[in-house]
Amino acid sequence: MNNGAESYGLIETQYIRRHHRHEPRDNQCTSALVKHIRAPVHLVWSLVRRFDQPQKYKPFVSRCIMQGDLDIGSVREVNVKSGLPATTSTEMLEQLDDEEHILGIRIVGGDHRLRNYSSIITVHPEVIDGMAGTMVIESFLVDVPDGNTRDETCYFVEALIRCNLSSLADVSESMAVQLGSTTNYV
């Protein structure tokens, strides 16, 4: 599942097997990435679950316009900042589970090459250095565009996700400090 790029521990592997099942066809690639964040799960989830406001932590999103309420089947039109090979992406909310902390989206349009793209993000509580922390896992499935290899496609998508997860960590950790939301478990 992880395209051979990274290896994960037992806990990460169990969560990936449980929540991040993608069945790629021959012309698709899939991968899962893990980020450990020094902020409580409720705070991280409050950012991730906002399908209507991805720009709160995704640095490549300049604007998001929702169509409908924040329900399964809702669609958002995302404007992408310059510098990427796209300007818009139309995305549908496929899964939103506040109890299990699962968000699933599918790209249904836009001026980019990510065809049949879907992703799942899960958020899990953990303890990091005796403090409340969060493990975020994001996985994806996407078609390999003509003229690209599976490795090139996965590398590109993984780079975008790593950037988003790094930004999510920065924003969450800053909010945790501002709110005094860290809990010491030692």
Side-chain angles (χ1 to χ4, degrees):
M1 155 73 85
N2 67 0
N3 201 35
E6 299 180 40
S7 60
Y8 299 117
L10 181 60
I11 294 171
E12 289 95 339
T13 301
Q14 287 174 343
Y15 284 132
I16 290 169
R17 285 185 182 146
R18 181 176 174 200
H19 300 292
H20 299 268
R21 295 184 191 173
H22 299 283
E23 296 183 22
R25 297 185 308 261
D26 288 342
N27 67 328
Q28 295 181 312
C29 70
T30 185
S31 187
L33 294 97
V34 176
K35 182 71 175 174
H36 300 276
I37 299 176
R38 295 174 182 275
V41 70
H42 69 86
L43 202 151
V44 176
W45 179 244
S46 74
L47 293 166
V48 170
R49 75 171 309 283
R50 293 306 304 261
F51 179 74
D52 59 334
Q53 296 181 358
Q55 68 273 25
K56 291 242 182 217
Y57 75 90
K58 291 186 175 187
F60 300 115
V61 174
S62 62
R63 189 173 106 176
C64 174
I65 300 169
M66 277 288 295
Q67 299 169 10
D69 296 325
L70 191 61
D71 294 318
I72 304 303
S74 295
V75 174
R76 69 184 181 192
E77 184 77 23
V78 173
N79 290 357
V80 180
K81 290 182 180 176
S82 64
L84 289 178
T87 58
T88 63
S89 181
T90 306
E91 303 168 356
M92 182 172 57
L93 181 61
E94 290 197 312
Q95 191 173 10
L96 179 62
D97 186 329
D98 283 317
E99 289 183 25
E100 293 285 326
H101 299 129
I102 303 170
L103 177 82
I105 69 157
R106 174 172 304 280
I107 293 179
V108 295
D111 64 347
H112 50 73
R113 299 180 71 198
L114 298 178
R115 301 291 172 235
N116 292 313
Y117 180 93
S118 61
S119 94
I120 298 169
I121 303 172
T122 58
V123 176
H124 312 276
E126 68 176 350
V127 177
I128 301 173
D129 295 331
M131 305 294 277
T134 303
M135 178 190 339
V136 179
I137 303 172
E138 184 165 355
S139 64
F140 68 90
L141 175 71
V142 68
D143 289 357
V144 175
D146 289 338
N148 288 89
T149 67
R150 182 174 279 107
D151 286 344
E152 290 168 338
T153 303
C154 271
Y155 180 81
F156 173 74
V157 175
E158 287 171 350
L160 290 175
I161 290 173
R162 275 190 191 91
C163 185
N164 287 339
L165 292 176
S166 179
S167 179
L168 176 62
D170 291 346
V171 172
S172 299
E173 290 169 0
S174 177
M175 286 173 61
V177 168
Q178 290 173 359
L179 299 172
S181 294
T182 56
T183 303
N184 191 340
Y185 289 110
V186 177

